[in-house]
Amino acid sequence: MSVPAIDPFHAIAISALAHQLESQGRSVIHLEFGQPSTPAPKAAIERAHHVLDTDPMGYWESEALRQRIAAHYAQHYRVTVAPERIILTCGASAALVLAISSSFVPGQSVALARPGYVAYRNTLRALHVGVQEIPCGPETRFGLTAQAIKALDPAPAGVIVASPANPTGTILEPHTLRDIAELCNQRGMVLISDEIYHGLSYDKPAKSMLEFAPEALVVNSFSKYFSMAPWRLGWLVVPEHMVDAARARMGNLFLPPSALSQHAALAAFDCDAELQSHVATYRRNRDLFLEALPALGLNRIAPPDGAFYIYADIRHLTDDSLAFCRQLLLDTGVACAPGIDFDPVEGRHFIRFSFAASTALVQEALARMIPWFAACSADTGVKT
C-alpha cells in the first residue's frame, strides 16, 4: 500500500500571495479564510492572563469544561450527553482525525457532500479511507439528502454531514437530518456531524444531529462562534462504546489540548452577549454582500443560512477559479478562496468569500470588487 496523495489547500496559496503583497506595502483585505476577525472574548483573555501568572500548567483535560459543554447540549438542544463522552481536542481538525480513525479501517468508504470542506476528503484519504462524494447543487440547496445517500452503490460505511456547511452556509432542515439519521441507523452506517458553525445562523437555528441520532459522532470547536481560532481547541462527542478507543488515539496522536486554551474556553461560555454581538456583525456583513451581489453580477449563490460564507457561481466569467482568485487579488487586493478547494469537479466555476471580517473591511472589499467584476463581465472573463 502506497502513501496516499492528497490535494493541496489552494486558499493557503492565495493567502501566502496576499501576505507577500502586504509585505510590499499593498493594502489587502482577507476574505479567503473562515476565521473571525474578532479576538477571543474579553473574559477568556483575562482568565488566560490570570492563569499564566499563577499556574505552571501541564498536560491536562478540564473536567469542568467537559461538564460545561455537556450542559450546553442540554440547554440548547435538549439532549443529554454524559461529560465522559466529550473528548477535548487540539482543534476540530484533531477531532475529525479521531472520529475517522476510531470508526473506519482502510478500504472502507465514507460519503460526503460535494461541495464540502476540503479536509474531509483529504483526511479520509490520508487515513486510507475511501471517499464517495455526492454532487449537491441548487436543487437540494447544496446539501445532502437521505435519498442521495441511499442511492450509493456500494453503500458507504459512514457519512459526514455538515450543517451549517462550509463553503455554502447551508443549514439542513430538521426533517433532512432525521431522514439521514434513520437511514444510517437502518444500514449500520457511522454518522459524523460537523457542527463547528453552530451559533452562527441567521434565519433559522441549526439542529444538532444528536437530536436525531444519539450515537452520532459530533465535531465542534471554539474557533468560530467563540472567536478562538488561534487557541486551537475543539471537542468530539462519541458514543459510549467508542470512548476508550477515541481517548487512546487522542492520548497517543495529540496529547491533551492546550491547558491555557481550556481555562480560557471555560470563561468564554459566560460571554454570550459579546459573542452575539459578533453574530450581529456577521449578519450585517451578509446583508451587505447580498445587496451587492447584483452589482457584482453574481446571481447564483448557495443559501448563506449560517456560517459566514458566500459561495458564488462564476461560470459566466471563468472556468479556472484559482486563476480568477489570483487575478482578483493582484488587481484589487481582495483575497478569496477558489471553489476547487471544496469541489474538485465543479469548483472551477465557483469562488467563496468569507464575510467574517469587520464591516468596514467588507464595505471596502465590495467597493473595490464592484468595478472589477463589471470590467471582467464586459471582457467576458479575459481577466483570468
Side-chain angles (χ1 to χ4, degrees), residues 281-297:
T281 297
Y282 305 146
R283 185 189 301 275
R284 286 194 297 272
N285 294 350
R286 168 182 175 261
D287 292 345
L288 286 170
F289 256 103
L290 294 178
E291 291 169 5
L293 287 175
L296 291 168

Side-chain angles (χ1 to χ4, degrees), residues 107-182:
Q108 289 185 309
S109 65
V110 173
L112 47 88
R114 175 170 58 77
Y117 180 47
V118 59
Y120 300 152
R121 152 180 6 110
N122 286 331
T123 303
L124 287 165
R125 288 175 177 163
L127 294 172
H128 297 275
V129 178
V131 178
Q132 290 179 265
E133 292 188 305
I134 299 175
C136 300
E139 66 282 356
T140 62
R141 303 177 72 253
F142 294 87
L144 277 181
T145 65
Q147 292 88 342
I149 300 168
K150 188 176 182 179
L152 292 176
D153 185 19
V159 178
I160 296 178
V161 174
S163 175
N166 178 9
T168 62
T170 300
I171 292 177
L172 297 178
E173 298 291 344
H175 68 84
T176 301
L177 294 175
R178 182 180 296 107
D179 290 346
I180 293 173
E182 290 177 354

Side-chain angles (χ1 to χ4, degrees), residues 316-334:
H316 59 296
L317 299 175
T318 186
D319 62 0
D320 187 344
S321 61
L322 179 59
F324 188 90
C325 289
R326 179 182 174 85
Q327 196 63 49
L328 173 63
L329 172 59
L330 291 172
D331 290 349
T332 70
V334 177

Side-chain angles (χ1 to χ4, degrees), residues 32 37 180 196:
E32 74 271 33
S37 58
I180 293 173
I196 70 170

